[in-house]
Amino acid sequence: MKGEEGRLPLEEELRERLELRLRACKEGEVPFRTFHKLAALLAMRSGFARSCFEAAGRGTAGRIERWLRQVILAQAENERGQGVSIGSLDADLSIANAALIARKERASHIDQRHLLLALLADKNTGTMNEIAKSLGATNRESIQAAAETGRPRDLRPVRSAVPPLTREEK
């Protein structure tokens, strides 16, 4: 089902995690940047972004997460008072690019994979350029391939409301 004005909605958990980061940026009066979006993706329960980064080598996701924490802490010190660049997630360019990917796939919503692919494709952000430089072309290609071919899984246990089929005893 499509959101208002034909926009694709964000997957619920993804929206919640991004909104949490955006709210923290507003409270800290710092710009909402790519590294916040990537941190939100790496925090998703499915572990999809983590597994994509691990395709570049064991421990890669952990190194990226540690670097993101450092960058976010440094931003809080160095950019406080600059304000947030967007008022809502609907105005975010990365999310708009993720929506384009989702539409091409005829998806009903924007999921974490779409956003990760949009971030990986963006050559104009310092975050993604720094990651590309740090990991090298081969490792970056491994991450890209994992994101293109993989699919997020919801790892939460699900209980069905439908009772199991049982054989009737005669």
Side-chain angles (χ1 to χ4, degrees), residues 51-72:
S51 68
C52 290
F53 277 94
E54 288 297 297
R58 188 179 168 135
T60 302
R63 284 195 338 263
I64 297 295
E65 285 177 311
R66 285 188 295 279
W67 177 76
L68 289 171
R69 276 194 296 278
Q70 291 172 350
V71 170
I72 290 169

Side-chain angles (χ1 to χ4, degrees), residues 5-55:
E5 302 168 14
R7 280 185 264 158
L8 290 178
L10 280 165
E11 169 187 5
E12 187 178 337
E13 182 190 356
L14 179 58
R15 176 169 282 286
E16 289 170 3
R17 291 190 184 275
L18 290 170
E19 288 283 0
L20 183 67
R21 300 274 175 180
L22 179 59
R23 197 167 34 257
C25 287
K26 286 178 180 179
E27 289 169 5
E29 298 180 1
V30 295
F32 183 61
R33 300 202 189 274
T34 300
F35 48 82
H36 298 112
K37 296 168 228 176
L38 193 53
L41 286 171
L42 287 165
M44 297 285 291
R45 283 189 297 260
S46 72
F48 177 72
R50 288 186 60 76
S51 68
C52 290
F53 277 94
E54 288 297 297

Side-chain angles (χ1 to χ4, degrees), residues 2 19 21 25 28 43 58 72 80 100 115 126 144 146 168:
K2 298 203 173 153
E19 288 283 0
R21 300 274 175 180
C25 287
R58 188 179 168 135
I72 290 169
R80 184 171 298 282
L100 291 174
L115 182 56
Q144 181 78 32
E168 290 185 31

Side-chain angles (χ1 to χ4, degrees), residues 92-105:
D92 186 80
L93 183 59
S94 298
I95 293 172
N97 290 334
L100 291 174
I101 294 167
R103 282 189 196 286
K104 282 182 188 172
E105 295 181 353

